[in-house]
Amino acid sequence: MIRNLASLAFVAAGTSIAAAVPAAANDWAGPYIGIGGGYGMTNTRTGNSFLTVFDQDPIAVNSMKDGQAGTGGFLTLSAGYDHALFGPLVVGAFVDYDFSDIDTRFSSLLPPDIGHFKIGDQLSVGGRVGYLVAPSTLFFSTFGYAHSDPSDVTLNFGSDPIRAKLGSFNGYFLGSGVETLIGNGFSLKAEYRYTSMQTEEVKIENVLTERFKPQVQTIRMSLNYRFGDGKKDVVDNSIPPITSSWTGPYLGFGTGYSVAHKQESFGPGAGPFNNPVSNDGGFISASVGYDYQFRQRFVVGTFFDADFSNLTYHDSNSASDGVDSQELWSSHGGFKNILMVGGRLGYLTTPDTLLFVSGGYANAGMEQTTISILGTDSGVLYDSKRISGAFIGAGVETKIWDSLSLKAEYRYIDLASENLPLFAEPGFISAHIDPDIQTGRLSINWRP
């Protein structure tokens, strides 16, 4: 986790340095190319069907897990074309290629197997629609088609590891982000993107079928060079810049999406019980803070945020003889309601647009993890607990009026690892958990 925090800090620092160039004119039309990178978390829905024999009758044992976790970084290359419509509207088309190293691990109890695969390099082709909230700042939404060629699935099923070919994933993506001009034809873009792939499966030894449906959430930052449209039009200044000071208190309200990764470990001999779990879901957020502007272009501030969230997870096993079905066991858990207290340091690329990095203390609520056996409630696997940690983030905030601003931000939350006694019995077997959460958020702030 420390490595992840350090890499994000490096990206955020590079963002601030690149932004230390006066902004250029608001010419958004024409082709562009870009290079960048980012970090991704997967929430892969997995399922399997295992054919066996019980009392001389064929039985199919089915397993479903709501989220198997994976993480990793990627480098990205992009090319696109934007067209300025009437007023502040901008539309465009683009293609991205991600050189990805996002590794997903999965496990199953019935049958007992452990495996992993990599999502693989990803091609995205799509469009975007944006709105210029300031002459040099574009807030936008993206959409389109996604394709990836995953690695082979490596599976420990039986005595020896097995490799199986997994077909290509196809799906769609949706995203939201902000791009700001930083001068000399360059722009800086940050985007949070959700990608949903179709289900693919592999068959092993005619007795086991494994199914995978990845959902990938990525934060990406890129430096773009814009060639312009070759026109010599007078710069459109119909969107006057805001020049009021950033010093003072503010209140904010927003929304976003989170994905949580929780590594569960019950010891070196626990095999498939050592399970990487993923939870995801939306949230609404309320915030209060205070900023202070100094040396004309710098802003420092402190804030408190409360995210009202519910990131849930569910898995189950059942058996069927083709006529009747019986649930063998299931479990349920998740995270909810995250509190954060921190500070931020920003640089004004223009009087109305602030690029910033943030960091501070985080506290998240982990729900009870419950277990059900043969369809009846069997108790609490481990109890609820609030877990503390730290977060780091980066974002862009732009004033759209003197008293209102729009803020987009990515945060990575590293929560402390914990040893939790199973069935709430101290001295019994413990589960070691190591959770982290990433969020993409958009909020509107009011400054009195």
Side-chain angles (χ1 to χ4, degrees):
M1 302 309 172
I2 298 300
R3 183 181 61 183
N4 294 336
L5 285 172
S7 62
L8 286 168
F10 177 78
V11 171
T15 299
S16 299
I17 293 170
V21 179
N26 55 323
D27 183 5
W28 289 88
Y32 64 88
I33 56 174
I35 183 171
Y39 186 75
M41 286 185 172
T42 60
N43 182 11
T44 301
R45 270 64 172 174
T46 62
N48 64 35
S49 298
F50 178 59
L51 299 179
T52 187
V53 175
F54 179 77
D55 196 22
Q56 298 184 345
D57 292 324
I59 296 292
V61 179
N62 301 306
S63 173
M64 183 277 296
K65 289 197 172 183
D66 217 9
Q68 301 276 254
T71 60
F74 61 90
L75 297 174
T76 186
L77 298 176
S78 60
Y81 187 94
D82 285 331
H83 177 68
L85 293 179
F86 52 87
L89 294 179
V90 175
V91 297
F94 64 90
V95 57
D96 290 345
Y97 193 86
D98 298 344
F99 300 90
S100 175
D101 189 36
I102 301 177
D103 193 9
T104 295
R105 297 184 178 274
F106 61 91
S107 66
S108 173
L109 297 180
L110 293 173
D113 62 28
I114 304 171
H116 76 97
F117 69 95
K118 291 189 176 184
I119 295 295
D121 296 345
Q122 181 174 311
L123 173 69
S124 302
V125 180
R128 71 172 182 171
V129 178
Y131 187 89
L132 288 166
V133 295
S136 61
T137 304
L138 179 74
F139 277 77
F140 62 86
S141 295
T142 58
F143 54 90
Y145 164 79
H147 171 91
S148 71
D149 294 309
S151 68
D152 291 345
V153 174
T154 300
L155 184 69
N156 291 330
F157 175 63
S159 57
D160 298 317
I162 299 173
R163 293 177 65 90
K165 180 67 175 178
L166 187 60
S168 297
F169 289 116
N170 294 285
Y172 69 90
F173 70 86
L174 300 170
S176 182
V178 60
E179 185 172 357
T180 186
L181 301 173
I182 58 175
N184 301 322
F186 288 96
S187 66
L188 194 65
K189 181 173 68 175
E191 181 184 354
Y192 196 82
R193 190 178 292 181
Y194 168 85
T195 303
S196 178
M197 297 295 194
Q198 68 183 24
T199 302
E200 292 290 334
E201 65 179 36
V202 295
K203 295 182 180 294
I204 300 171
E205 299 181 358
N206 295 319
V207 296
L208 177 64
T209 301
E210 295 275 1
R211 294 177 294 276
F212 307 95
K213 179 177 174 55
Q215 299 177 83
V216 188
Q217 296 183 54
T218 58
I219 175 66
R220 55 188 62 228
M221 293 186 179
S222 64
L223 182 67
N224 298 332
Y225 181 76
R226 297 184 160 273
F227 297 94
D229 59 4
K231 296 180 180 179
K232 302 298 181 181
D233 298 342
V234 176
V235 173
D236 178 11
N237 285 316
S238 60
I239 310 170
I242 307 298
T243 58
S244 58
S245 173
W246 287 76
T247 297
Y250 62 87
L251 297 174
F253 179 80
T255 186
Y257 205 81
S258 298
V259 57
H261 171 278
K262 182 178 66 174
Q263 177 63 46
E264 292 179 328
S265 177
F266 300 90
F273 287 95
N274 295 332
N275 187 31
V277 177
S278 186
N279 328 91
D280 63 353
F283 65 88
I284 58 174
S285 178
S287 61
V288 59
Y290 187 93
D291 285 331
Y292 176 74
Q293 183 176 348
F294 65 102
R295 292 188 179 180
Q296 189 176 1
R297 284 189 174 271
F298 291 92
V299 175
V300 63
T302 183
F303 59 86
F304 169 78
D305 289 348
D307 293 353
F308 303 95
S309 58
N310 188 19
L311 315 180
T312 60
Y313 166 81
H314 178 77
D315 64 6
S316 66
N317 274 87
S318 63
S320 173
D321 61 1
V323 178
D324 298 315
S325 179
Q326 171 65 55
E327 182 182 88
L328 302 178
W329 66 270
S330 66
S331 66
H332 180 273
F335 288 90
K336 66 190 308 180
N337 300 341
I338 305 171
L339 306 176
M340 284 171 277
V341 180
R344 69 174 182 171
L345 176 64
Y347 181 85
L348 290 166
T349 58
T350 65
D352 52 20
T353 299
L354 178 72
L355 298 185
F356 65 88
V357 294
S358 60
Y361 167 82
N363 182 276
M366 187 184 71
E367 294 184 301
Q368 285 183 335
T369 298
T370 59
I371 188 169
S372 172
I373 299 177
L374 297 179
T376 61
D377 293 335
S378 300
V380 177
L381 187 60
Y382 47 83
D383 215 344
S384 61
K385 184 179 179 66
R386 293 205 67 89
I387 304 176
S388 296
F391 74 89
I392 188 171
V396 179
E397 185 171 359
T398 295
K399 287 189 176 183
I400 51 180
W401 286 291
D402 282 329
S403 60
L404 288 179
S405 62
L406 194 62
K407 181 172 70 173
E409 184 181 1
Y410 166 82
R411 288 184 193 167
Y412 174 85
I413 305 169
D414 184 14
L415 298 174
S417 59
E418 296 277 350
N419 291 311
L420 303 176
L422 295 188
F423 304 106
E425 292 291 339
F428 194 57
I429 300 173
S430 293
H432 180 80
I433 64 167
D434 187 9
D436 55 356
I437 303 171
Q438 72 171 2
T439 69
R441 57 188 60 229
L442 183 67
S443 65
I444 189 164
N445 297 333
W446 176 71
R447 299 171 182 271

